[in-house]
Amino acid sequence: MPLKVAAFYQFASLPDYRELRDPLHAISAGLGLRGSILLASEGVNGTIAGRAEAIDAFIAELGHGALFGGRLDRLELKFSAAAEMPFQRMKVRLKKEIVTLGDASVDPTRQVGIYVDPAEWNALIADPDTLVIDTRNAFEVALGTFEGAVDPGIKSFGQFKDFAARELDPARHRKIAMFCTGGIRCEKASSFLLAHGFGEVYHLKGGILKYLEEMPKQESRWRGECFVFDERVALGHGLRERGKETAHD
């Protein structure tokens, strides 16, 4: 039976994040889950895998359980499947940021760009006035990206701010659309650009994974595969594992 994989994140104020680590690990391990969860004062970010009922119980605990006390009420969630367990063990790690940009002034809980649903994304990026930017690392971009998207050529997301300072100008780039794997990097990137004077900033809600889940392949502007940070390596349309797409897809 295929395992269920959940990718999730939310920017939220968690000043007690250090105290959350051990009980969160105990809950996930008790359900037989494996994966990786990052905790920081700015929120939570993770990918976990296990039996479907265990995943559902864990997600319910995050959103409605006593541990977080209702603070994770807007979780961004993507579900996919794996033929085999894609993680070796369960890890819950404490971090300064749940996605590292290295700019303390950026706060996605206060200011982010305009969310664009997958159904509306094609029209936005087809507009010649839109500058489309892939905010992921260069090796991820090499595996697949959207038609016409700019590759910043970065080795880590922390270099995005240097790319923006070097290549982007609020006076010239009046309409920017960004995307990333699950949406989390774009929330920080859009918050960063808005804080630096860019007026019209959009980002793909739910990221590439949500787009590949919802967009029919025949209507898709995505080319290639989407890198994921587990042993499945990459996913295609319908969030199928790499090498498992059928001939008629």
Side-chain angles (χ1 to χ4, degrees), residues 13 22 25 27 32 47 58 69 74 87 95 99 110 130 145 162 169 176 192 198-199 219 230-231 235 240:
S13 179
D22 289 345
H25 188 279
I27 291 169
T47 306
F58 182 80
R74 295 178 294 101
F87 300 102
K95 305 284 283 187
V99 59
R110 290 190 296 106
T130 303
T145 192
D162 300 320
D169 181 354
I176 293 176
F192 175 83
F198 291 84
E219 300 176 23
D230 59 55
E231 292 184 6
L235 301 178
R240 293 182 177 88

Side-chain angles (χ1 to χ4, degrees), residues 55-109:
I55 291 289
D56 294 343
F58 182 80
I59 296 301
E61 174 63 33
L62 290 184
H64 309 292
L67 183 59
F68 287 93
R71 289 177 291 177
L72 299 183
D73 57 345
R74 295 178 294 101
L75 274 176
E76 180 63 48
L77 277 165
K78 270 82 62 180
F79 295 110
S80 56
E84 299 177 354
M85 174 55 73
F87 300 102
Q88 297 296 323
R89 56 195 177 97
M90 188 68 232
K91 297 183 291 185
V92 180
R93 294 183 290 171
L94 303 179
K95 305 284 283 187
K96 290 184 178 179
E97 301 176 71
I98 55 174
V99 59
T100 303
L101 181 61
D103 187 327
S105 67
V106 174
D107 183 359
T109 64

Side-chain angles (χ1 to χ4, degrees), residues 143-162:
L143 200 59
T145 192
F146 283 104
E147 293 177 0
V150 172
D151 174 9
I154 58 179
K155 293 181 179 179
S156 68
F157 181 60
Q159 296 176 347
F160 179 82
K161 57 184 183 295
D162 300 320

